[in-house]
Amino acid sequence: MEFELVMTNEAETRLFAKQLGEKLAAGDVILLEGDLGAGKTTFTKGIGEGLLIPQMIKSPTFTIIREYKKGRLPLYHMDVYRLEDTSADELGLEEYFYGAGVSVVEWAQFVHEDLPEEYLEIKLFHIDENTRKIVVNPVGERYEQLAKEVFGK
């Protein structure tokens, strides 16, 4: 079951992501796919708002993983693009994926073999300067229910 949404501005995208963040639980894994500028970090900022993270959420491009521990649940924001030509073994991704927080992974195809069996995949497509198409693909029963609650309205 797949959901498609069209967001016409950044605030709308963040609001949907915030609604998702409000329903996330420890151990949830969100995969964000999209070209540069598609809105992955904006979406993550909304998730952070839903998790009551007070810090400013920044792109983890150069740090690979940013941890935000002040909030309803910890948020682990990962950009694994730079792992395309290397291994993720030393990052300890399983500790994040099965831990006490929520993992948001950008460019997850580069660590596909390390991902849990179930996750929520969100693809963002840049239509024009303000408009994004969002395709939500839940993998597993937990994420199918979550997607229905948040995106099936």
Side-chain angles (χ1 to χ4, degrees):
M1 158 190 10
E2 201 172 76
F3 298 90
E4 281 192 24
L5 309 157
V6 175
M7 302 288 132
T8 58
N9 59 55
E10 184 175 317
E12 193 176 20
T13 300
R14 279 178 77 154
L15 177 61
F16 264 94
K18 178 183 178 188
Q19 291 170 342
L20 173 62
E22 290 169 347
K23 296 193 179 291
L24 292 174
D28 280 342
V29 177
I30 310 299
L31 311 183
L32 292 181
E33 301 292 333
D35 292 333
L36 293 174
K40 295 182 298 293
T41 298
T42 296
F43 201 91
T44 304
K45 287 178 181 180
I47 289 174
E49 289 172 18
L51 292 172
L52 305 175
I53 303 288
Q55 298 110 304
M56 178 184 213
I57 293 180
K58 301 176 188 173
S59 174
T61 300
F62 299 106
T63 58
I64 300 179
I65 301 173
R66 286 193 186 265
E67 297 183 13
Y68 302 92
K69 295 184 178 180
K70 297 178 183 174
R72 183 173 64 79
L73 293 169
L75 171 63
Y76 308 120
H77 185 195
M78 308 170 192
D79 181 335
V80 295
Y81 182 81
R82 294 185 329 172
L83 299 179
E84 178 180 17
D85 299 321
T86 185
S87 170
D89 293 341
E90 62 276 354
L91 290 178
L93 294 178
E94 282 189 5
E95 291 177 34
Y96 290 104
F97 295 154
Y98 299 103
V102 171
S103 298
V104 174
V105 185
E106 298 183 20
W107 306 100
Q109 70 266 28
F110 297 125
V111 294
H112 191 9
E113 64 280 351
D114 297 305
L115 294 173
E117 289 183 21
E118 297 187 0
Y119 50 81
L120 184 64
E121 180 182 52
I122 299 174
K123 295 180 182 179
L124 296 105
F125 299 94
H126 189 195
I127 295 181
D128 63 33
E129 185 177 335
N130 296 311
T131 309
R132 303 292 185 271
K133 179 171 102 171
I134 299 175
V135 177
V136 179
N137 181 31
V139 177
E141 190 175 319
R142 153 89 180 125
Y143 297 102
E144 287 176 12
Q145 184 59 40
L146 182 64
K148 282 180 194 173
E149 288 177 29
V150 177
F151 303 104
K153 300 174 182 175

